[in-house]
Amino acid sequence: MPAGGGGSEVVLLMGPPGAGKGTQAALLAEARDLRKLSTGDMLRGHVERGTELGVRAKSLMDRGQLVPDELIVAMVKSELDGMGTVRALLDGFPRTPGQAEALDELLGDEGAALTAAVALEVDEDELVRRLEGRARQEGRSDDNEAIIRNRMEVYRKQTRPLFDYYEQRGKLERVSGMGSVDDVFERITGVLP
Ligand code: AMP
C-alpha cells in the first residue's frame, strides 16, 4: 500500500512502558507520512518549559501516575485542530477508556476515523530489562525500578481495558514486540491496511 496516500489515517500504538512504542512510532510516522503525536514527549516539553501544565504534570509523571484525562485531551485536541486532513500516529494516547471516548469524539469532529489500534506485546522480564537500560542511557526521572513497576501496574489497570474497547470495534491488532526493531516494524506494517 502506498505510504502517505493523502487521505485521513489515524494509527494508535499501545503497549506497556518499554514495549518500544516511541521507536516504532517514529519509524511508522516517517514511513506513512503521519504526524507523530506523543503525549509523553509533549508533557516532557511542558515540564522543560515550566508551563502551568508542566508544573501540574511533573509530580504525577515522576510517580508513574497518569495525568488527568481533561488535560491530556485538551493537549491532543489543540494538535488535531487545524490539521486539515488528519494523518496522525498516536503514541501513548489514549491511555484510559475516558481518553478513548474523547478521541472518538475528536476524530468525529474532524471527519476522521481510527484506522487501527496496534497493541505491542512484550514479556514483562524483557520490559524491565529494556527500561533499566533506557534509564541508564537517557536518565529519565521516571525510569527507576519502583516507578517502572508502578507504571506497569497503571498500564495493566487503566490502559489494558482499552484492548476490549478496540476489539469490540474491530480495530485491535495485537503484535509481538519481541525481537529486533526491524522485525517489529515489519509486523506492524503487515497488520495495517
Ligand atoms: P510515556 O513517555 O508515554 O511513557 O509517558 C510518560 C508519562 O507521561 C506517563 O507515565 C504519564 O505520567 C504521562 N502521560 C503520557 N501520556 C499520557 C496519557 N495519555 N494520559 C495520562 N498520562 C500520560
Side-chain angles (χ1 to χ4, degrees):
M1 120 125 216
S8 169
E9 178 171 327
V10 182
V11 176
L12 69 87
L13 267 184
M14 287 187 290
K21 287 192 303 292
T23 304
Q24 295 297 334
L27 292 172
L28 276 172
E30 170 82 31
R32 297 177 74 97
D33 191 24
L34 303 172
R35 167 127 47 112
K36 179 170 92 95
L37 299 179
S38 159
T39 45
D41 286 349
M42 286 154 103
L43 288 169
R44 282 184 285 277
H46 277 276
V47 170
E48 251 167 51
R49 297 193 302 277
T51 67
E52 197 184 325
L53 171 56
V55 171
R56 289 184 68 179
K58 185 173 188 329
S59 62
L60 293 165
M61 292 171 75
D62 282 347
R63 280 179 280 146
Q65 290 173 3
L66 295 184
V67 175
D69 285 355
E70 61 273 21
L71 299 180
I72 297 287
V73 170
M75 198 172 71
V76 173
K77 179 173 168 28
S78 72
E79 293 285 332
L80 291 178
D81 276 349
M83 206 189 251
T85 302
V86 180
R87 297 190 55 79
L89 192 286
L90 302 174
D91 163 23
F93 171 87
R95 286 268 233 286
T96 66
Q99 291 180 17
E101 282 163 22
L103 174 63
D104 284 345
E105 218 167 279
L106 287 178
L107 293 179
D109 291 348
E110 301 286 339
L114 188 69
T115 308
V118 177
L120 284 180
E121 302 193 295
V122 177
D123 295 347
E124 189 150 333
D125 288 350
E126 171 69 11
L127 291 176
V128 173
R129 208 180 54 75
R130 290 186 190 179
L131 285 165
E132 285 171 351
R134 184 167 80 185
R136 279 192 297 275
Q137 278 171 11
E138 297 178 15
R140 261 179 66 161
S141 56
D142 58 354
D143 268 349
N144 77 54
E145 197 190 330
I147 307 287
I148 289 169
R149 287 237 172 78
N150 192 35
R151 286 167 62 213
M152 286 186 180
E153 185 64 17
V154 166
Y155 178 78
R156 263 194 294 271
K157 286 209 176 117
Q158 296 182 262
T159 307
R160 281 291 301 214
L162 292 186
F163 283 31
D164 289 342
Y165 183 92
Y166 289 116
E167 186 125 64
Q168 283 158 15
R169 286 158 179 77
K171 299 289 187 188
L172 187 71
E173 298 289 351
R174 293 168 187 264
V175 170
S176 165
M178 300 292 286
S180 74
V181 168
D182 288 349
D183 288 347
V184 177
F185 180 69
E186 263 188 39
R187 283 180 213 132
I188 297 175
T189 50
V191 300
L192 293 177

